Amino acid sequence: MVLTFCLHNFVVPSFKRLPLSLVETTHLHNRYYYPSLSATLHCSFPRRNIIYFHSVTTMACNSPANKKAKISTSPATVPGAELRNDDTSLSYQGTPLELKCINTIRALCADMVQKAQSGHPGAPMGCAPMAHLLWTEIMTYSPKKHDWWNRDRFVLSNGHACALQYAMLHLTGYEDMGMDQLKQFRQIGSKAPGHPENFVTKGVEVCTGPLGQGLSNAVGLAMAQSHLNATTQNKEIFTNYTYVICGDGCLQEGVTSEASSLAGHLGLGNLIVLYDDNQITIDGSTDLSFTENVAMRYESYGWQVFKVEDVSNGLEELREAIQKAKSETSKPTLIQINTVIGYGSAKAGTAKTHGAPLGDEDLAATKKSYNLDPEKSFQVDDDVREIYTAAASRGEKAREEWEATFASYKATHAEEATALEQRFVPPATKQVLTFPECDKAMATRKYSELCLNAIAPQIPSLIGGSADLTGSNLTNLKCSGDYQSSTPGGRYIRFGVREHAMSAICNGLFAFSSGNDGSL
């Protein structure tokens, strides 16, 4: 267990991080005592294992009566609001430029919502550290060729937080997302609609309006990658991962339970989910309606689960968790991350930052706490932009290397490579399909069976299944075996009794090979 300490109103560097060994605790009134300190610190505990200090009263160091420093809780504290009068860099464990990048993302997202007078600033401000790490160190992507086959797929399942995704697309140079588009957030005709739409914005993989659909789509995206990898001789063609950011709301939706259960059964080691555990819903605290142990639930599904206590004060813990997730190839991974919704705002940690602008005064004060100019809107300094430009350049280099690999593969496996190309770019000429003749009266499901099994050998990209009704709806493909963890090359999926997830997963399977600007 790690405690993170954030000072407020009074700067004492040695108090920034206090070792747990100094703490003697009682279970009465959350009182904490520090035998080695000669000060009274007034604090609160708005997040698990994170203590925010609000004032310090010093005591005589050698006084026998003051051998213990008493820490009392303040019920009026708002998490994240300690940034009001304190330099964020005091407690941040990383480079100043890294923190500046994260704070720039936060401010951009808040600016978008403020200008539109509509939207959701809180989740993007809390998730900004995750996004920065994903786009600068973890994911491989190509702004110049957004539909490159082997790009890592990113899904923002809590789609109401879309200002975050648009900010990242802008910073990394996607042509659809110039600064003019950020300033037209949620406006008619904008490339930055109120929820991500893959037929509107290049760089968006799937439409994530309804909560939970994105995570469920992502299971389909991960299945598609494993299937294509299994059926392609060159294993360097499809090596991408699928990354998801989701929130408490996504994990309350039943569709994600269905999809996550199947993902665990199938051992999708290429699926990594970052759970934004900010403990806030529209109604208020998740204590009102969502108190289950999510980590244990996902472990029971067969997932690998990590908990990250704090990303507001450094990225190392999350960085290590993602690397461990990538090294586990037989299980999907859920990383449960403690965040503060609306981090830095006076309303941080409350539902008030969920779906409304911060307001001019609060936004200016928040920017000041970020060490950004409170008078500027949509501020992106050159040193920040250079970080994201460099990250995008690494992705372009990876794409160019992949294109050389595929060209070599096509030279030696022309027929297979052409078949792959047709999955992503259908041929101009239409294919004539043949069907068996049959004129006797039969149930429509029997005719469906005949059609499916006539089409399947002629269209290798046809993949599907049934929700535990194979014998009734006659959907089994005779030309192919099952898609299972041990046989991902199979084209028949046993969805189990998971009808809702079945539809969402199939949308993800389709999205993997469709142009993510909505073209087929």
Side-chain angles (χ1 to χ4, degrees):
M1 176 178 176
V2 176
L3 289 171
T4 300
F5 298 84
C6 303
L7 287 170
H8 176 56
N9 289 337
F10 195 95
V11 178
V12 183
S14 61
F15 288 172
K16 287 198 301 181
R17 290 183 178 271
L18 300 178
L20 189 60
S21 60
L22 292 177
V23 182
E24 295 178 8
T25 66
T26 70
H27 296 289
L28 298 175
H29 310 296
N30 290 326
R31 295 181 183 274
Y32 285 71
Y33 298 89
Y34 288 76
S36 301
L37 300 180
S38 57
T40 299
L41 296 88
H42 304 283
C43 66
S44 65
F45 300 78
R47 292 289 304 161
R48 293 191 297 264
N49 305 333
I50 301 178
I51 299 178
Y52 297 94
F53 292 110
H54 304 285
S55 63
V56 178
T57 304
T58 60
M59 297 181 290
C61 295
N62 298 321
S63 170
N66 294 325
K67 288 184 178 179
K68 289 188 176 181
K70 182 178 180 180
I71 300 178
S72 59
T73 61
S74 166
T77 299
V78 178
E82 83 286 358
L83 299 178
R84 273 285 178 248
N85 300 306
D86 196 8
D87 186 339
T88 58
S89 64
L90 288 176
S91 59
Y92 191 77
Q93 304 298 301
T95 67
L97 183 53
E98 181 178 84
L99 179 59
K100 184 179 180 181
C101 288
I102 293 169
N103 284 338
T104 296
I105 297 168
R106 289 170 169 147
L108 271 180
C109 294
D111 279 335
M112 279 186 257
V113 176
Q114 189 65 31
K115 188 174 188 303
Q117 285 296 294
S118 176
H120 303 77
M125 293 165 73
C127 292
M130 306 181 211
H132 172 77
L133 185 63
L134 287 175
W135 262 270
T136 58
E137 296 184 28
I138 305 299
M139 296 197 304
T140 303
Y141 53 91
S142 171
K144 292 182 180 180
K145 193 171 183 180
H146 67 277
D147 56 355
W148 168 39
W149 299 359
N150 201 40
R151 67 189 182 277
D152 285 329
R153 269 57 170 183
F154 172 77
V155 176
L156 185 70
S157 189
N158 48 343
H160 58 271
C162 56
L164 178 68
Q165 188 165 12
Y166 302 148
M168 301 316 299
L169 293 176
H170 168 75
L171 291 169
T172 52
Y174 282 76
E175 63 177 353
D176 264 11
M177 206 51 63
M179 187 64 81
D180 60 324
Q181 293 299 324
L182 299 189
K183 293 179 180 180
Q184 290 298 310
F185 177 59
R186 294 176 72 97
Q187 306 304 302
I188 294 176
S190 170
K191 296 288 187 179
H195 288 77
E197 305 285 358
N198 65 346
F199 59 89
V200 173
T201 311
K202 293 178 180 178
V204 172
E205 301 292 347
V206 292
C207 302
T208 54
L211 290 175
Q213 286 293 321
L215 197 163
S216 305
N217 294 159
V219 174
L221 290 169
M223 290 171 65
Q225 184 278 331
S226 69
H227 174 75
L228 287 169
N229 180 264
T231 55
T232 304
Q233 292 190 46
N234 189 327
K235 302 306 177 184
E236 296 181 6
I237 303 300
F238 296 102
T239 61
N240 70 284
Y241 288 82
T242 296
Y243 295 93
V244 180
I245 291 179
C246 74
D248 293 301
C250 295
L251 298 186
Q252 292 176 56
E253 293 283 0
V255 68
T256 58
S257 296
E258 294 181 13
S260 298
S261 173
L262 185 60
H265 166 73
L266 294 174
L268 298 177
N270 57 351
L271 175 61
I272 299 173
V273 177
L274 279 59
Y275 165 27
D276 169 28
D277 182 16
N278 63 34
Q279 299 184 7
I280 292 294
T281 63
I282 294 174
D283 280 357
S285 168
T286 52
D287 289 342
L288 294 171
S289 59
F290 190 52
T291 55
E292 69 188 47
N293 190 319
V294 173
M296 289 183 66
R297 174 156 66 95
Y298 270 76
E299 286 174 350
S300 75
Y301 289 155
W303 288 54
Q304 176 178 233
V305 177
F306 297 113
K307 291 186 179 181
V308 173
E309 295 294 344
D310 179 24
V311 290
S312 299
N313 293 301
L315 295 176
E316 190 56 35
E317 192 179 0
L318 178 58
R319 186 179 286 116
E320 292 177 3
I322 294 176
Q323 292 304 326
K324 289 178 181 177
K326 293 181 70 173
S327 66
E328 173 56 75
T329 59
S330 63
K331 294 181 179 181
T333 297
L334 178 79
I335 305 176
Q336 184 173 355
I337 305 166
N338 286 346
T339 64
V340 178
I341 189 171
Y343 186 84
S345 164
K347 299 183 283 287
T350 72
K352 293 179 180 179
T353 66
H354 171 80
L358 297 182
D360 292 332
E361 182 178 347
D362 187 19
L363 179 54
T366 300
K367 289 178 181 178
K368 187 175 181 181
S369 76
Y370 292 162
N371 286 325
L372 298 177
D373 189 339
E375 301 299 321
K376 291 183 178 180
S377 295
F378 298 93
Q379 176 184 352
V380 182
D381 290 342
D382 290 344
D383 54 351
V384 170
R385 195 171 292 282
E386 287 171 3
I387 292 294
Y388 295 107
T389 300
S393 295
R394 291 191 292 272
E396 302 298 356
K397 182 180 179 182
R399 173 183 55 80
E400 291 167 0
E401 292 173 351
W402 179 91
E403 288 173 343
T405 297
F406 184 77
S408 176
Y409 172 66
K410 188 174 182 180
T412 56
H413 299 80
E415 185 176 346
E416 184 177 317
T418 300
L420 281 176
E421 289 175 327
Q422 291 177 356
R423 290 188 179 218
F424 289 86
V425 182
T429 57
K430 294 184 178 180
Q431 184 176 354
V432 178
L433 302 177
T434 58
F435 298 90
E437 294 184 7
C438 184
D439 57 4
K440 65 178 181 178
M442 292 189 297
T444 52
R445 58 184 172 174
K446 287 293 295 182
Y447 277 113
S448 171
E449 179 187 29
L450 290 173
C451 288
L452 281 174
N453 281 285
I455 294 170
Q458 302 176 68
I459 305 179
S461 59
L462 180 65
I463 183 170
S466 175
D468 196 44
L469 285 170
T470 301
S472 296
N473 54 32
L474 306 177
T475 48
N476 199 18
L477 301 180
K478 297 176 182 178
C479 66
S480 172
D482 286 355
Y483 175 100
Q484 295 286 352
S485 60
S486 59
T487 56
R491 293 162 55 190
Y492 191 72
I493 303 168
R494 307 281 180 171
F495 286 101
V497 188
R498 303 183 181 97
E499 292 92 346
H500 297 92
M502 176 172 64
S503 296
I505 289 169
C506 284
N507 283 338
L509 285 164
F510 172 78
F512 188 91
S513 60
S514 66
N516 67 2
D517 56 356
S519 62
L520 301 181

